[in-house]
Amino acid sequence: MALLDTSDIGDSTAIRGEIRRRRSVKPDAGFGIGDGLYDSSSSSRTNSSEEEGESLTNGFDENERIRAGDETQTTQENKQKTDQRRDKTSLLQYAYRASSPAHRRIKESPLSSDAIFKQSHAGLFNLCIVVLVAVNGRLIIENLMKYGLLINSNFWFSSRSLRDWPLLMCCVSLLFFPLAAYIVEKLAWKKRISDPVVITLHVIVTTTAILYPVFMILRVDSVVLSGVSLMLCACINWLKLTSFVHTSYDMRSLVNSTDKGETESESLDIELFYDADFKSLVYFLLAPTLCYQLRYPRTAFIRKGWVLRQLIKLIIFTGLMGFIIEQYINPIVQNSQHPLNGDILYAIERVLKLSVPNLYVWLCMFYCFFHLWLNILAELLRFGDREFYKDWWNAQTIEEYWRLWNMPVHKWIVRHLYFPCLRNGIPKGAAILVAFFMSAVFHELCIAVPCHIFKFWAFIGIMFQVPLVLLTNYLQNKFQNSMVGNIIFWCFFSILGQPMCVLLYYHDVMNQKVNSK
């Protein structure tokens, strides 16, 4: 093996080159020996001519050395390339001989469970994109051939929508409740009213803030879209109002405990000692957060060009969402039967057919609201913390999904509901159940009230998440595989849960209209 070493080969080549260079130097040695054989008289007579001859000979020999060295280097490079080609040819001839071993190591299949995540799946991802484009392209052509273009502006804005001005006035009047809470807090900080009175007034204000829009929607014969918009604004206003009240009460409690010597003032941040600040409350009502605090992280400036680009995206994706609703979801829903009153196979077929466009609308809604709109609002207000969502699409359990999906609501629940329950001695499991119960109530209000139907489908759907949380947590602990819980999440949310709720509420609304006539 030492004979095949590249360093040895290089050394032998260098020796051969050195021998060639020495051979080229021999004429100089010969002339020097010859000069020593001449006598002094002859050398004196030919001194000048010999000096000229030596200079010419030396110049000639130097050129010969350079030329010989270049030829030697070129010869060495050509020989090395030839040797490398011979080595490769010999190796290939040996590798493809019948006697050479074809199996040398232990290897897993690329799609096996041990090696699937070590491989690149870019080609399969491209295949999925091609299949999605082909399938949805066929559905678009089939839908246009069957129904034509169903885009109608009356679906969003009609003469009936103009009669919804009481709901618009109700939405504007919701600002009265934060103002009332601010006045109560101002009186509490000045110690004009006692804590029991403050608590009673805050309970009245917050309860009225959520019941007032419910009463207005039920009294006014409005379109569903107007009612949903008002209820969303009312729920956001209630959550912000509750955070302001709870935070202010906690601040006053800390200040009072510090004055009594129960808490060391050095352990508290100086920002905690403040009076009820109206500017902070106004900024909080506009900011894309549900948790009140005196100061927020702020950016240095507003990127106007960035805001314009996001607004263009918001308009495009909102239009795409409306197109999918009118062109695909409406015909499917109108041509379907009640999923609980017909053939079970037919109901499953309708739900699966509705699941694809419903998933597109859901993803567009998420991108438009949580990414585009909240970031636009944060940029205009220079709001720094823009973690409005996390990678919920990689959730391994249902519980993890609810922690990643809606970060403003998650932070509110943790701050104002979950940890207060734990501090009051409520077990962790019961605290989680309370959080899901509150979420179910608000989902029911946002859907059932605008539809004027209280069948509790949304409430049941959210509370059904509790056993799913237990199931996915059990499967995660048992199999230690992130794919199981993630697949269950996508199936129950996108394929079964949401399309089923859409069909249930639509047919209940249609039955209600038929019965009223």
Side-chain angles (χ1 to χ4, degrees):
M1 295 301 292
L3 295 176
L4 298 178
D5 191 28
T6 55
S7 61
D8 295 338
I9 296 174
D11 293 341
S12 62
T13 306
I15 292 171
R16 289 195 296 269
E18 182 64 22
I19 293 173
R20 293 192 187 96
R21 284 193 294 271
R22 290 179 180 178
R23 288 175 180 174
S24 65
V25 180
K26 283 184 177 181
D28 291 338
F31 287 132
I33 297 172
D35 292 339
L37 296 176
Y38 296 141
D39 56 1
S40 59
S41 60
S42 62
S43 63
S44 62
R45 288 193 301 268
T46 60
N47 187 24
S48 59
S49 60
E50 288 177 358
E51 289 178 356
E52 293 177 358
E54 287 180 3
S55 61
L56 293 174
T57 304
N58 291 334
F60 174 77
D61 293 340
E62 186 68 24
N63 293 333
E64 287 295 329
R65 290 192 197 98
I66 296 173
R67 189 179 298 109
D70 294 339
E71 292 177 355
T72 302
Q73 185 177 1
T74 304
T75 305
Q76 293 175 4
E77 293 177 354
N78 293 334
K79 186 175 182 180
Q80 288 179 359
K81 292 180 181 179
T82 303
D83 292 341
Q84 290 177 358
R85 291 195 207 99
R86 289 176 179 175
D87 292 340
K88 290 181 180 179
T89 304
S90 62
L91 289 174
L92 290 175
Q93 290 176 353
Y94 175 76
Y96 287 96
R97 293 182 66 88
S99 60
S100 63
H103 306 283
R104 302 171 184 267
R105 297 195 306 267
I106 298 176
K107 297 181 181 180
E108 295 288 342
S109 298
L111 295 179
S112 63
S113 59
D114 294 333
I116 187 171
F117 295 110
K118 300 178 183 178
Q119 307 292 328
S120 174
H121 302 91
L124 293 177
F125 180 75
N126 295 333
L127 175 62
C128 292
I129 294 177
V130 171
V131 171
L132 283 175
V133 171
V135 172
N136 287 278
R138 185 195 66 82
L139 292 176
I140 292 173
I141 296 174
E142 179 183 359
N143 184 275
L144 292 175
M145 293 175 60
K146 188 174 183 180
Y147 301 105
L149 191 62
L150 300 178
I151 303 300
N152 186 5
S153 60
N154 292 330
F155 178 78
W156 303 99
F157 304 101
S158 61
S159 59
R160 186 183 175 188
S161 301
L162 299 176
R163 296 180 298 182
D164 293 338
W165 63 268
L167 299 188
L168 177 61
M169 298 304 298
C170 176
C171 185
V172 174
S173 63
L174 291 177
L175 299 175
F176 167 78
F177 298 100
L179 179 61
Y182 168 76
I183 294 174
V184 172
E185 279 299 318
K186 197 70 175 179
L187 295 175
W189 276 101
K190 293 183 178 181
K191 298 183 179 180
R192 300 290 181 82
I193 52 179
S194 60
D195 284 346
V197 176
V198 172
I199 295 174
T200 303
L201 292 177
H202 280 320
V203 169
I204 294 174
V205 170
T206 53
T207 304
T208 309
I210 195 66
L211 293 181
Y212 168 60
V214 172
F215 175 78
M216 290 298 298
I217 294 174
L218 295 179
R219 285 291 302 270
V220 178
D221 185 17
S222 62
V223 296
V224 175
L225 184 60
S226 299
V228 171
S229 301
L230 177 57
M231 281 308 305
L232 287 175
C233 293
C235 291
I236 293 173
N237 182 70
W238 186 89
L239 293 173
K240 286 178 174 285
L241 184 61
T242 303
S243 179
F244 171 74
V245 170
H246 193 184
T247 303
S248 300
Y249 176 80
D250 191 47
M251 294 299 104
R252 286 188 286 106
S253 300
L254 290 174
V255 171
N256 293 333
S257 61
T258 303
D259 294 339
K260 295 178 181 179
E262 298 176 1
T263 304
E264 296 181 1
S265 59
E266 291 81 2
S267 63
L268 299 177
D269 195 337
I270 191 64
E271 293 183 355
L272 299 181
F273 299 90
Y274 73 100
D275 198 351
D277 186 61
F278 185 74
K279 292 183 179 180
S280 299
L281 176 60
V282 173
Y283 183 85
F284 168 61
L285 293 176
L286 298 175
T289 181
L290 300 176
C291 295
Y292 176 75
Q293 60 191 59
L294 183 62
R295 294 183 180 88
Y296 296 94
R298 305 286 295 276
T299 56
F301 54 89
I302 299 175
R303 298 171 293 176
K304 297 180 181 179
W306 184 88
V307 171
L308 180 60
R309 291 193 298 269
Q310 304 309 309
L311 283 173
I312 295 174
K313 292 180 183 179
L314 181 62
I315 295 173
I316 293 175
F317 279 92
T318 302
L320 176 62
M321 184 168 54
F323 172 78
I324 295 175
I325 291 175
E326 292 189 58
Q327 190 70 34
Y328 296 98
I329 293 182
N330 282 347
I332 296 175
V333 173
Q334 292 174 2
N335 296 331
S336 63
Q337 300 177 359
H338 197 285
L340 301 181
N341 297 334
D343 186 7
I344 184 63
L345 293 179
Y346 178 81
I348 294 175
E349 188 272 337
R350 290 286 97 180
V351 169
L352 294 178
K353 188 174 183 178
L354 184 61
S355 63
V356 176
N358 181 83
L359 175 62
Y360 294 158
V361 170
W362 184 49
L363 294 177
C364 286
M365 180 275 300
F366 161 77
Y367 185 71
C368 288
F369 182 76
F370 286 96
H371 182 74
L372 295 177
W373 171 245
L374 292 184
N375 274 286
I376 291 172
L377 190 59
E379 187 69 24
L380 294 176
L381 296 173
R382 293 170 46 212
F383 188 82
D385 186 5
R386 303 182 184 183
E387 191 182 46
F388 305 120
Y389 58 90
K390 293 184 180 180
D391 56 336
W392 54 266
W393 46 87
N394 294 327
Q396 301 179 10
T397 63
I398 300 297
E399 181 182 1
E400 185 179 4
Y401 161 75
W402 286 108
R403 291 199 307 266
L404 305 176
W405 152 254
N406 189 341
M407 292 307 296
V409 172
H410 172 70
K411 292 177 181 178
W412 188 96
I413 290 178
V414 170
R415 188 187 192 199
H416 300 289
L417 187 63
Y418 180 73
F419 280 111
C421 289
L422 296 182
R423 284 194 295 267
N424 286 276
I426 299 178
K428 180 180 177 181
I432 295 176
L433 187 63
V434 170
F436 273 102
F437 178 82
M438 181 180 175
S439 177
V441 170
F442 276 91
H443 277 80
E444 183 68 21
L445 288 176
C446 291
I447 299 177
V449 173
C451 294
H452 297 254
I453 293 174
F454 294 93
K455 293 291 186 69
F456 298 100
W457 299 124
F459 180 85
I460 295 173
I462 297 299
M463 293 305 296
F464 187 69
Q465 306 301 309
V466 177
L468 286 180
V469 167
L470 300 177
L471 175 62
T472 53
N473 287 340
Y474 169 76
L475 294 176
Q476 176 67 20
N477 295 330
K478 182 176 179 60
F479 296 103
Q480 297 295 324
N481 193 333
S482 60
M483 295 179 60
V484 177
N486 189 258
I487 292 174
I488 292 176
F489 150 69
W490 282 113
C491 289
F492 279 96
F493 270 81
S494 304
I495 307 302
L496 299 177
Q498 293 179 2
M500 179 68 74
C501 287
V502 171
L503 290 177
L504 290 172
Y505 275 105
Y506 172 80
H507 286 287
D508 287 340
V509 170
M510 291 297 102
N511 293 335
Q512 185 185 41
K513 291 182 178 180
V514 171
N515 295 332
S516 62
K517 293 180 181 179

